Amino acid sequence: EMAEWFKMKLKTFYNIYYRHRIQKASHLLKVHLFVSLIIKYIVNLYYLPKKKNLDNFSKKNSYLFNKDLNFLCEFFNSDKGENFINQYVQPSKRKNKKIIAHGYAKIYEKYLKNNKDRISNIIELGSFYGNASAAFFFYFKNAQIYSADINPDMYLYSSKRLENFFTDTSSRLSIEKNILNKNIKFDLIIEDASHMLKDQIISLFILFKTLKSGGLFIVEEIDFPEKREDMRLDQDFPDLKTILKKIMNKENFNSKYINENEKFFFLDNVETIEFYNGNINEIAVIKKK
């Protein structure tokens, strides 16, 4: 029990909930925040949800294998559903009140419903608690589900069909070392990590080669770099949304974040690019030839 409490590292708690506050604080406020950080961390460990083994959970809840993806996303509190309880606040401050979520599940189903039982490998970049992984576990009942996150200690699920590991999507080296080196061909890649301008670009162009023919690469919150300054600080345009629009219009583009081989591999192998509006933000669905 105690080991589960210390699943979330102090460093993770600091990075998620305190780093930006401390960076902006005066010297006096920094001292106060560092003291309160330790206290808040200990308090939040008590409220942190406990890890769940889905292999065991599924034996008593087999009905979930027959549910649609939106139901599953809401059941496991993923923001890909229509509504969810805010999972991004400190656990001790979480209120059991549902708020509007991204509503992406219905878009996923449009593409994946008819062949969901044939999907064998999925990876999500930016898994956080792993609530979407749990939904995918039941929806794609034959799939191995990989979850990559900069804070993998936050992940709350385990199974023979789940693999959770560290990846920093701002780092080309980290993506190559932790994902490319696995030599896995994916049916579905989901980019839901930092949403930073640079990270969205390198994730797509580096990992597109790992997609199977006919596979999908989905970029969530693709409009963040366009709409939020904090998602493009010290990073150079064009953003990924602009790049994809140019490709759709058969216009040339250049980005300092990818090389010529990655650019032309993508251009030679992309079949379709489609944009959708979720409840709050935009999503791009990219299909490989």
Side-chain angles (χ1 to χ4, degrees):
E1 191 85 15
M2 188 61 73
E4 283 297 323
W5 276 20
F6 286 90
K7 177 73 177 162
M8 178 174 58
K9 297 174 184 175
L10 176 60
K11 179 181 177 183
T12 298
F13 185 78
Y14 165 77
N15 284 335
I16 294 175
Y17 302 115
Y18 271 77
R19 182 178 59 188
H20 296 299
R21 292 176 64 190
I22 287 175
Q23 286 174 343
K24 296 175 183 176
S26 64
H27 291 300
L28 189 61
L29 184 56
K30 273 186 171 68
V31 174
H32 169 75
L33 288 173
F34 272 119
V35 173
S36 65
L37 167 66
I38 303 298
I39 298 169
K40 291 279 189 180
Y41 171 67
I42 294 169
V43 169
N44 274 278
L45 290 175
Y46 177 79
Y47 289 94
L48 192 69
K50 299 301 182 284
K51 197 163 186 174
K52 182 175 291 185
N53 183 294
L54 293 181
D55 295 327
N56 296 333
F57 182 76
S58 65
K59 292 174 185 176
K60 296 181 180 179
N61 298 275
S62 59
Y63 75 97
L64 291 172
F65 286 111
N66 300 315
K67 295 297 184 178
D68 65 37
L69 188 56
N70 186 70
F71 178 95
L72 292 168
C73 285
E74 296 201 3
F75 184 90
F76 288 105
N77 202 47
S78 165
D79 64 0
K80 290 174 173 46
E82 292 295 322
N83 298 281
F84 82 131
I85 296 167
N86 190 354
Q87 62 177 341
Y88 302 113
V89 297
Q90 293 181 33
S92 64
K93 296 181 179 179
R94 175 175 159 168
K95 297 178 181 178
N96 289 322
K97 178 184 177 183
K98 293 221 168 186
I99 59 175
I100 190 167
H102 284 296
Y104 295 148
K106 59 192 176 190
I107 301 168
Y108 278 71
E109 284 215 283
K110 174 184 174 181
Y111 287 90
L112 299 164
K113 183 177 181 179
N114 292 333
N115 68 333
K116 64 190 186 77
D117 293 343
R118 294 192 293 274
I119 288 176
S120 57
N121 289 309
I122 297 169
I123 185 167
E124 181 183 28
L125 313 177
S127 52
F128 201 61
Y129 283 139
N131 294 340
S133 297
F136 294 153
F137 174 90
F138 286 96
Y139 192 70
F140 303 105
K141 62 184 180 182
N142 297 314
Q144 192 72 21
I145 299 154
Y146 300 88
S147 303
D149 198 279
I150 199 167
N151 298 306
D153 51 304
M154 294 289 288
Y155 201 75
L156 293 175
Y157 300 92
S158 64
S159 164
K160 293 176 182 177
R161 292 200 288 117
L162 298 181
E163 184 178 331
N164 171 50
F165 52 88
F166 170 85
T167 303
D168 177 0
T169 59
S170 71
S171 165
R172 173 179 288 272
L173 183 62
S174 183
I175 293 172
E176 291 172 351
K177 176 183 175 183
N178 295 294
I179 302 177
L180 285 189
N181 284 354
K182 289 182 180 294
N183 293 315
I184 297 167
K185 287 292 186 180
F186 297 103
D187 301 275
L188 173 64
I189 299 175
I190 300 158
E191 201 289 312
D192 188 22
S194 73
H195 310 309
M196 298 290 284
L197 183 152
K198 170 193 165 188
D199 302 7
Q200 287 185 336
I201 293 171
I202 66 172
S203 294
L204 172 61
F205 284 88
I206 293 175
L207 292 175
F208 197 68
K209 68 186 78 169
T210 69
L211 265 185
K212 295 178 184 176
S213 176
L216 298 179
F217 195 112
I218 297 180
V219 185
E220 298 189 357
E221 286 87 84
I222 195 165
D223 54 329
F224 262 30
E226 171 190 22
K227 295 178 179 176
R228 288 180 47 173
E229 185 180 356
D230 59 320
M231 295 293 152
R232 59 178 188 264
L233 282 176
D234 302 319
Q235 298 176 52
D236 293 339
F237 283 99
D239 57 31
L240 183 57
K241 180 179 174 181
T242 300
I243 289 171
L244 294 177
K245 292 280 190 181
K246 283 181 175 291
I247 293 170
M248 292 169 72
N249 293 327
K250 302 191 184 306
E251 298 174 20
N252 189 32
F253 72 93
N254 289 293
S255 172
K256 64 184 286 186
Y257 302 118
I258 59 172
N259 60 47
E260 290 291 290
N261 287 338
E262 290 161 345
K263 173 180 175 178
F264 289 111
F265 179 86
F266 184 86
L267 292 174
D268 288 342
N269 289 278
V270 64
E271 182 172 308
T272 57
I273 301 168
E274 295 181 280
F275 290 89
Y276 296 90
N277 290 316
N279 294 335
I280 308 166
N281 294 105
E282 295 175 43
I283 188 171
V285 181
I286 303 151
K287 185 176 181 181
K288 189 176 182 182
K289 288 180 182 175

